[in-house]
Amino acid sequence: MPGYTSINAKMVQVPVGHGQEVYSRRGSMLAYVGNVNFAPTATVGQGIGGAIGRRMAGESAPMMHVTGQGTAMFGHNGLHVQVIELTGDSLYVEADRLLLYDATLQPGTMFMGEQGGARGVLRGAVTGQGLFTTTLAGHGTCAVLSHGGVIELPITPQRPIHVDPQAYVAHRGQVDNSLTSALGVRDIIGRGSGEAFQLRLSGTGAVYVQASERKV
């Protein structure tokens, strides 16, 4: 069965059928053809314990379980949609940026300190992302939201990437993710560039950066 198809930069079309169930952000269905069913589910992910943990972490996101036989189209608030293929690795993304994902992917929640230690926790506090983030793992496809579209930048042990915290959308792979400071005299006296903090991502994987510093 064909995979996700970008209708334009802000809409994606997804086949639904046997072995092709998806979870979508509630309210993101734009149209569908065929016998397609939408059932509400409480959060990104499954299981009572996981749901409680995600609500406490601020990573709760109302979703719909999409089943049946046909085709459905999705989008949200005119935001750009980026399709991402996972091939056994993991994606780390804020719940409010997740538009939809294959039911074959395993959702979860990660404590920010697992990537970057104390600096990872500091990153969540400074950027307003909190102490936890959503994960997707396995083989399958997902789609995330951004302002102005994204660029995928590869991360290698020899080539760490620095990203503006507000431009960060998601990352994948075995990546250490922490907040760094470029604070200097100019910043202290108010004459700096305003780019005092950056996310430093190192390891092996990729980061998705949006063309904006606006949050979803």
Side-chain angles (χ1 to χ4, degrees):
M1 182 177 289
Y4 294 18
T5 301
S6 296
I7 300 173
N8 58 37
K10 302 178 181 180
M11 300 173 63
V12 63
Q13 178 176 287
V14 178
V16 180
H18 179 68
Q20 184 69 39
E21 298 178 2
V22 299
Y23 288 92
S24 70
R25 182 187 181 115
R26 197 174 300 178
S28 66
M29 189 277 293
L30 303 176
Y32 69 88
V33 177
N35 183 24
V36 181
N37 305 304
F38 301 84
T41 182
T43 60
V44 177
Q46 302 158 359
I48 295 175
I52 292 173
R54 277 180 282 277
R55 283 197 295 271
M56 292 178 63
E59 276 294 305
S60 175
M63 303 291 284
M64 300 290 287
H65 187 197
V66 186
T67 60
Q69 191 74 39
T71 303
M73 284 141 275
F74 299 92
H76 182 69
N77 282 351
L79 294 167
H80 283 71
V81 178
Q82 176 72 27
V83 175
I84 299 174
E85 300 282 346
L86 295 179
T87 56
D89 50 343
S90 296
L91 179 77
Y92 303 84
V93 60
E94 295 303 298
D96 61 0
R97 289 192 179 273
L98 190 56
L99 178 65
L100 72 155
Y101 63 93
D102 286 345
T104 55
L105 293 172
Q106 179 63 46
T109 303
M110 185 199 72
F111 175 57
M112 299 292 281
E114 292 182 29
Q115 291 189 346
R119 286 182 176 269
V121 174
L122 180 61
R123 169 210 157 185
V126 171
T127 63
Q129 292 175 314
L131 298 179
F132 295 82
T133 194
T134 293
T135 64
L136 291 175
H139 291 78
T141 309
C142 65
V144 300
L145 300 166
S146 72
H147 288 284
V150 303
I151 182 172
E152 179 181 352
L153 298 174
I155 303 167
T156 68
Q158 298 77 30
R159 186 175 180 264
I161 302 291
H162 291 80
V163 177
D164 184 291
Q166 305 307 320
Y168 167 89
V169 172
H171 74 273
R172 64 191 296 176
Q174 299 298 315
V175 173
D176 180 76
N177 186 355
S178 60
L179 195 72
T180 63
S181 173
L183 194 65
V185 175
R186 283 184 171 275
D187 299 284
I188 294 172
I189 63 176
R191 297 178 57 191
S193 66
E195 310 295 337
F197 293 97
Q198 303 95 38
L199 295 180
R200 184 182 188 275
L201 299 102
S202 59
T204 303
V207 60
Y208 298 87
V209 183
Q210 69 176 11
S212 169
E213 295 182 348
R214 295 174 59 193
K215 297 178 70 68
V216 171

